[in-house]
Amino acid sequence: MLPKVGDKASLSRSISPEEIGQFAAVSGDFNPVHVDEEFAGKTRFGGRIAHGMWSASLISAVLGTKLPGPGTIYLSQTLAFKAPVRPGETITATVKVTKVREDKRIVTLHTYCENAEGQRIVDGEAVVLHEEVV
Amino acid sequence: MLPKVGDKASLSRSISPEEIGQFAAVSGDFNPVHVDEEFAGKTRFGGRIAHGMWSASLISAVLGTKLPGPGTIYLSQTLAFKAPVRPGETITATVKVTKVREDKRIVTLHTYCENAEGQRIVDGEAVVLHEEVV
């Protein structure tokens, strides 16, 4: 079933230093700000931070498992990275339906991630197709 | 050092079915089109596909390790998902500098991923800040 404008879903998750290493291994993204404590300590962040695409993947997780849920196919995503995620932080990804095109089964959603203090980490928009799988 | 307009870098990588499972585990994105062969077989793809954010993370990998390289901080990324990635496929992510704002050290890049046949998988634009870490 297609969602309605205003429908909303969330998912919370934290990332450990080990999981940052796993994300680097599976993506090949060994940017030292993520995996090298000494290098990261000299940046504006003063220590390692999680990959921005990890936060983005939480948005994908909500879309693909909750709203619209299984059968969701990504068409596009915009991502504005607002603040860093540090190891151990819990991030909540939220998606909220802003537009539904029933004939094409295309859904547009406002998508964002926040930390436990409610600070915006990532902000953007997703457009997805929802295929009915029977 | 800041890159110049026209500078270009790439990275190629493949993803195994096991790595799709690892990406799901670290992101919480258990969308069945990625992890459930039976469900995925009934979709338009006819089988499991990799997460779109995995391809996106290859773009992040090129930015953070090659161009502009270590010291890169993500400001934004747009992603248009054009075609699926199947287990075992080799994907090449390419970034090409389109604009450099020297005073703010902000670099804009055309970013895209292609499969071995040269088919565009993901297309978009990245804006990054390059911090000089000494």
Side-chain angles (χ1 to χ4, degrees):
Chain A
M1 216 181 67
L2 278 177
K4 295 182 299 296
V5 169
D7 284 358
K8 203 171 157 180
S10 292
L11 176 153
S12 295
R13 201 173 169 89
S14 67
I15 186 158
S16 66
E18 293 71 31
E19 287 170 319
I20 294 177
Q22 287 164 19
F23 195 95
V26 78
S27 67
D29 188 352
F30 293 96
N31 183 336
V33 75
H34 305 307
V35 295
D36 180 337
E37 190 58 55
E38 193 189 330
F39 178 95
K42 293 180 199 155
T43 68
R44 66 186 61 201
F45 304 121
R48 288 172 67 185
I49 60 169
H51 298 78
M53 286 304 168
W54 175 76
S55 301
S57 72
L58 298 191
I59 294 170
S60 174
V62 185
L63 296 169
T65 63
K66 296 192 170 185
L67 182 73
T72 294
I73 296 161
Y74 242 137
L75 297 182
S76 69
Q77 175 76 57
T78 61
L79 300 162
F81 298 98
K82 302 289 192 184
V85 173
R86 295 172 194 285
E89 273 201 288
T90 296
I91 301 301
T92 300
T94 300
V95 309
K96 193 175 172 179
V97 177
T98 56
K99 198 174 161 190
V100 179
R101 194 171 155 190
E102 306 242 354
D103 57 332
K104 299 276 188 186
R105 299 190 64 83
I106 291 175
V107 182
T108 305
L109 307 99
H110 177 205
T111 58
Y112 54 91
C113 295
E114 289 176 335
N115 63 18
E117 288 73 45
Q119 189 185 12
R120 200 61 61 100
I121 298 296
V122 183
D123 207 332
E125 187 181 80
V127 182
V128 301
L129 184 70
H130 189 255
E131 186 180 8
E132 215 144 24
V133 179
V134 286
Chain B
M1 215 180 72
L2 278 177
K4 295 181 299 294
V5 170
D7 284 358
K8 204 172 159 179
S10 293
L11 176 152
S12 295
R13 202 174 169 87
S14 67
I15 186 157
S16 66
E18 294 69 33
E19 286 170 320
I20 294 177
Q22 287 164 19
F23 196 93
V26 78
S27 67
D29 189 352
F30 292 97
N31 184 338
V33 75
H34 305 308
V35 296
D36 180 340
E37 191 58 53
E38 195 189 330
F39 177 96
K42 294 180 200 156
T43 67
R44 67 186 58 203
F45 304 120
R48 289 172 66 184
I49 61 168
H51 297 78
M53 287 303 166
W54 176 75
S55 300
S57 73
L58 298 191
I59 294 170
S60 174
V62 185
L63 296 170
T65 64
K66 294 191 170 185
L67 182 72
T72 294
I73 296 160
Y74 242 138
L75 297 182
S76 69
Q77 176 76 58
T78 61
L79 300 163
F81 298 98
K82 303 287 192 187
V85 174
R86 294 172 195 285
E89 273 200 290
T90 296
I91 301 301
T92 300
T94 301
V95 308
K96 194 175 172 180
V97 176
T98 56
K99 197 174 161 190
V100 179
R101 193 169 156 192
E102 307 241 354
D103 57 332
K104 300 276 187 186
R105 300 189 64 83
I106 291 175
V107 182
T108 304
L109 307 99
H110 177 206
T111 58
Y112 54 91
C113 295
E114 289 176 336
N115 63 19
E117 288 73 45
Q119 189 185 13
R120 201 61 61 102
I121 298 296
V122 183
D123 207 331
E125 186 180 82
V127 182
V128 302
L129 183 70
H130 189 256
E131 186 181 8
E132 216 145 24
V133 178
V134 287

